[in-house]
Amino acid sequence: MKIVAKKKLWKYLFWLGPFLIAVGLTVGLVSEQWGLIPLVFLITGIVISALGIIWQSYETNWWKRRSTQAGTNALVATLAVLAILGLINFLGTRYHLRADLTETQLFTLAPQSRELVRVLPQLVKVWVFDVNQNPQDRELLENYQRQSSKFKYEYIDPQTRPGLAEKFGVKDYGEVYLESGDKRQLVQTINENERLSEIRLTSRLQQLTNSTTAKAYLLQGHGERQLSPGKGAISQAVQALGDKNFTTSPLNLGETSKVPQDAAVVIVAGPKRGLFEGEVKALQEYLNRGGNLLLMIDPNTDPKFNSLLQEWGVRLDNRLAVDVSGGSVGLGPATPLVTEYGQHPITKDFGNGNSFYPIARPLEITSVPGVQATPLLRTKPYPNSWAESDLQSEKLEFNEGKDMKGPLTLGVALTRKQAAKPTSTSQTVPTPSPLPSPTTQSKTSPTPSPSAKTPQASPLPSPSTQSKASPTPSSPPSPPASSTPSSQTATESRLVVLGNSDFATDGLFQQQLNGDVFLNSVTWLSQQDQQPLSIRPKEPKNRRITLTTTQANLLILSSLLLLPLIGFVIAVIIWWKRR
């Protein structure tokens, strides 16, 4: 009796182990501090439980039982699964790995956006003044936040925090603001029909974090595309340039006879009439002093650029680019569909994306010493494309001897190195005396010129002041380091020639890669290669099936009548064979 009682006592004593383990876990989890007391309970409970298991196994051969082995295997397998799940959750919390399986990467930031956020110099915060938190907008902001710890966002109800709303000047629900330091900027106003845009957010982010501004002049006076909204205008392209920190202004060379010194790039968009000889020479002089020029020339026009383009090895073909491959997507033969791009910073991220150019002319490129040319846009080979010489014919067909077989070049980017020239007469020392210090040298210059560089003469003006003030011989301004590279310090001239301007007009600018071709060309021409190029909008492909009334009725009958009838007949046949 004593031995039996002793065994029962030990049996009850060993139940103390799980109890102490539970106490230790409870103390640690509740207090959130794993100090001495919870550890003592845990260790004591584990030791008692282990001794109980060993004693029970010794007394009853517990380990040798089949049920014990099966239970142990099940317990080990369960613990292993829990450990694996815990490890996966730990790794998922610590390391973010997401796979976007959509064809156009709808849920992935563009490379330009990712690179811009990763190199943010300081904390940037997005304030969304709205009551409703749209899942699509939150997903976009989460994607930005994953790229850098310096990017934050917060939703604010203007009614509950009126002081903050007043600080930003909020006027309506849905306004989205960017804040970095003491700078604030409105991104857009979101609503049910307009969600937060990656293009606008990244553009505003670039404007807020980058003080670099560039001046783009658009030539006017020869029937070029108008800058304000209207039929055939390029107002959307001008607005997009503003979003990328470009300051745009019209330019009439018939009035000024010279391209302004602060011009980072000059854009000639679809002139219908020829330029005066003096205007062409002004553009040539601008290129010769390190300028950058974008020419978009349509067919059936002669803007008188032959002498300028000849220096660069480019000739405008008078034929019409024909491409019959775009019929499957609703494009006519006079609208070439381009999917092949050159290896160039302007088009390096385009892949096999689509861009189209209604009524375009081909370009012929010849080698010129000192000029490096890279074709940007190429049509498909013959018989899909050719250059049509008969522009009056209603039926476009290839004529041997008159027409030119594809592939055709519709765009080209060219660079020409600038010869090293002294930028100031003050660098020439007429006497053999010792060289004076830079400050003395700039002060003793006999006749300062507007192009002279005198960094020590006066404080650096702001970019806005510099763009408005014209340099005078007595006090030449010194451009800040963040301003556009001036023509005196440029190391090369850049030229982009496109055989079409319709692709950048309102309505077509936002289609496919059309806007990217324009924006990337201007960004590259402005010699701001360190800045991100344009961001391609992600458009889901329309995969809906359009059915006629007959097809829809047939589908309904087949699904509601034909398929059930076939199943019933098969069931009857099987029953007949087995009866």
Side-chain angles (χ1 to χ4, degrees), residues 112 240-241 244 246 265 294 341 344-350 376 413 494 496 498 503 509 513-529 531-536:
Q112 297 88 340
L241 288 176
K244 292 185 67 64
F246 282 91
V265 58
L294 171 60
Y341 304 93
H344 192 272
I346 295 176
T347 55
K348 66 177 181 179
D349 294 327
F350 285 2
L376 297 177
R494 296 182 177 183
V496 171
L498 304 175
F503 78 98
F509 178 80
L513 298 178
N514 287 12
D516 298 277
V517 173
F518 177 83
L519 291 176
N520 286 7
S521 297
V522 177
T523 303
W524 178 76
L525 284 169
S526 65
Q527 304 199 25
Q528 299 184 86
D529 296 349
Q531 299 298 330
L533 298 182
S534 70
I535 305 159
R536 298 184 298 281

Side-chain angles (χ1 to χ4, degrees), residues 545-568:
I545 301 175
T546 304
L547 300 178
T548 63
T549 304
T550 304
Q551 292 172 332
N553 293 334
L554 181 61
L555 181 62
I556 293 174
L557 290 175
S558 62
S559 58
L560 297 181
L561 181 62
L562 184 60
L563 291 179
L565 183 60
I566 292 174
F568 178 74

Side-chain angles (χ1 to χ4, degrees), residues 299-301 315-320 361-362 388-389 391:
N300 292 325
T301 60
R315 190 183 77 85
L316 299 173
D317 197 305
N318 292 322
R319 288 171 285 198
L320 177 69
R361 70 192 307 168
E388 176 66 44
S389 57
L391 304 184

Side-chain angles (χ1 to χ4, degrees), residues 181-195:
D182 57 350
K183 298 179 181 178
R184 302 181 189 92
Q185 190 173 38
L186 176 66
V187 177
Q188 68 178 108
T189 302
I190 57 177
N191 51 51
E192 294 181 358
N193 300 321
E194 183 178 359
R195 303 315 322 164

Side-chain angles (χ1 to χ4, degrees), residues 23 38 43 58 63 74 87 147 158 166 231 254 275 333 361 452 519 567:
V23 171
I43 294 173
Y58 175 77
W63 284 107
L87 181 61
Q147 309 303 321
E166 184 179 357
K231 184 178 180 181
L275 277 69
R361 70 192 307 168
L519 291 176

